[in-house]
């Protein structure tokens, strides 16, 4: 790298360009943590491809990003992450439309609220298809481009409950724990190719999903905000942006010596 290139890179970073020139694909980008991550990435100079099963969610998020970041390059792809063919198509679209791929954020997930004693095989298969096979689909499809980047980064969004027990979400928590093992193995396998892999475990995060679920049950937003005081040392929900910033850091070159790691972003729950 020449002195001019070094100065240009430093200038971009000072302007808020920690991802200057980087191209990222974010699954579950239609709302919540995925949308917040896309917003932070665009603010830091990245071009982004958003993948989500919700066409409406993608349209809203893309419109908001383009309004907030007029210079940002934002693409969208409607896809169920459990579909391996669509994963390959989404990655190919990102590589062609953005000019490459440097970052993959595996964020899409589904939930199930059944006790383990009541779970059916079909429910297990549906959960695994999205929460474990889905990230695997995008990793497999993206690896050639991430290797070609020379500084590829995979950030997979797990959950604080991958390492902490609770009642009523055994399927979800089991798949999220599996992502931690997948991340460690991926880091071991891809280090020689210049690709880092890390996982992030959010705590209770107040997203549109939770707001919608509360409203559907007749619960007020004010009451909802008081109901996670015992699930973190900080006694509150996280905002989606509070999860997006650590994702940004793991994805960026600032974390260039970090791979195979699990970062707890849970307000201290795992230490309680």
């Amino acid at each position: 790298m020449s002195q001019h290139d070094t100065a240009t890179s430093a200038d971009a970073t000072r302007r808020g360009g920690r991802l200057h020139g980087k191209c990222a694909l974010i699954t579950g980008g239609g709302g919540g943590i995925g949308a917040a991550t896309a917003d932070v990435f665009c603010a830091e100079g990245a071009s982004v491809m958003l993948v989500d099963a919700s066409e409406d969610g993608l349209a809203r998020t893309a419109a908001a990003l383009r309004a907030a970041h007029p210079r940002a390059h934002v693409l969208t792809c409607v896809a169920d992450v459990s579909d391996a063919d669509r994963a390959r198509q989404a990655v190919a679209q990102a590589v062609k439309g953005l000019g490459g791929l440097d970052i993959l954020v595996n964020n899409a997930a589904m939930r199930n609220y059944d006790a383990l004693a009541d779970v059916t095989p079909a429910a297990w298969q549906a959960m695994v298809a999205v929460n474990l096979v889905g990230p695997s689909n995008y990793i497999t499809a993206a690896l050639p481009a991430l290797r070609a980047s020379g500084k590829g980064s995979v950030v997979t969004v797990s959950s604080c409950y991958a390492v902490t027990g609770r009642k009523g979400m055994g399927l979800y928590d089991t798949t999220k724990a599996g992502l931690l093992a997948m991340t460690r193995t991926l880091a071991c396998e891809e280090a020689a190719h210049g690709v880092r892999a890390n996982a992030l475990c959010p705590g209770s995060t107040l997203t549109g999903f939770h707001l919608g679920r509360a409203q559907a049950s007749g619960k007020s937003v004010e009451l909802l905000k008081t109901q996670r005081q015992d699930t973190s040392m900080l006694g509150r929900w996280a905002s989606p942006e509070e999860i997006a910033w650590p994702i940004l850091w793991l994805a960026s070159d600032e974390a260039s010596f970090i791979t195979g790691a699990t970062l707890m972003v849970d307000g201290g729950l795992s230490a309680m």
Side-chain angles (χ1 to χ4, degrees):
M1 179 180 288
S2 69
Q3 289 183 337
H4 174 74
D5 289 338
T6 301
T8 300
S9 178
D11 289 343
T13 300
R14 284 194 294 270
R15 291 195 302 268
R18 295 160 76 185
L19 297 183
H20 178 70
K22 301 280 190 180
C23 303
L25 187 153
I26 303 169
T27 69
I33 292 171
T37 300
D39 182 61
V40 168
F41 277 24
C42 287
E44 294 293 331
S47 299
V48 298
M49 159 70 83
L50 307 180
V51 176
D52 202 287
S54 170
E55 185 172 2
D56 290 343
L58 281 177
R60 285 193 300 271
T61 299
L65 291 174
R66 289 167 182 147
H69 312 285
R71 295 185 178 182
H73 191 179
V74 180
L75 301 178
T76 63
C77 179
V78 179
D80 182 330
V81 294
S82 67
D83 187 329
D85 289 337
R86 290 294 288 152
R88 287 189 289 270
Q89 293 167 10
V91 169
Q93 183 181 341
V95 170
K96 181 178 180 180
L98 303 179
L101 191 63
D102 306 287
I103 299 163
L104 169 64
V105 178
N106 280 314
N107 171 68
M110 68 175 291
R111 294 169 178 264
N112 179 293
Y113 295 91
D114 293 332
L116 289 175
D118 303 322
V119 173
T120 65
W124 270 113
Q125 291 163 5
M127 182 68 67
V128 169
V130 172
N131 288 10
L132 276 176
V133 177
S136 176
N137 287 339
Y138 279 80
I139 288 168
T140 300
L143 274 177
L146 294 173
R147 290 171 175 175
S149 164
K151 290 185 177 181
S153 177
V154 178
V155 181
T156 296
V157 179
S158 177
S159 168
C160 62
Y161 292 106
V163 300
T164 302
R166 61 175 168 174
K167 296 179 180 179
M169 290 190 70
L171 276 73
Y172 179 86
D173 296 349
T174 297
T175 56
K176 289 296 187 176
L179 290 176
L180 302 186
M182 184 187 295
T183 296
R184 290 190 294 268
T185 300
L186 182 64
C188 291
E189 293 178 347
E190 291 302 314
H193 301 288
V195 178
R196 297 182 299 109
N198 294 289
L200 181 141
C201 293
S204 300
T205 306
L206 191 56
T207 65
F209 171 83
H210 295 291
L211 294 172
R213 194 162 178 262
Q215 290 168 352
S217 65
K219 185 184 299 181
S220 71
V221 172
E222 290 72 22
L223 178 61
L224 179 67
K225 290 180 178 179
T226 68
Q227 293 188 329
R228 293 301 175 104
Q229 293 183 356
D230 61 346
T231 60
S232 78
M233 288 185 187
L234 301 180
R236 62 174 177 82
W237 295 80
S239 70
E241 291 75 19
E242 288 178 299
I243 310 302
W245 284 110
I247 293 174
L248 165 69
W249 181 67
L250 285 175
S252 76
D253 292 341
E254 293 177 5
S256 57
F257 199 60
I258 299 176
T259 194
T262 296
L263 178 60
M264 305 304 298
V265 189
D266 63 353
L269 173 63
S270 53
M272 290 170 64

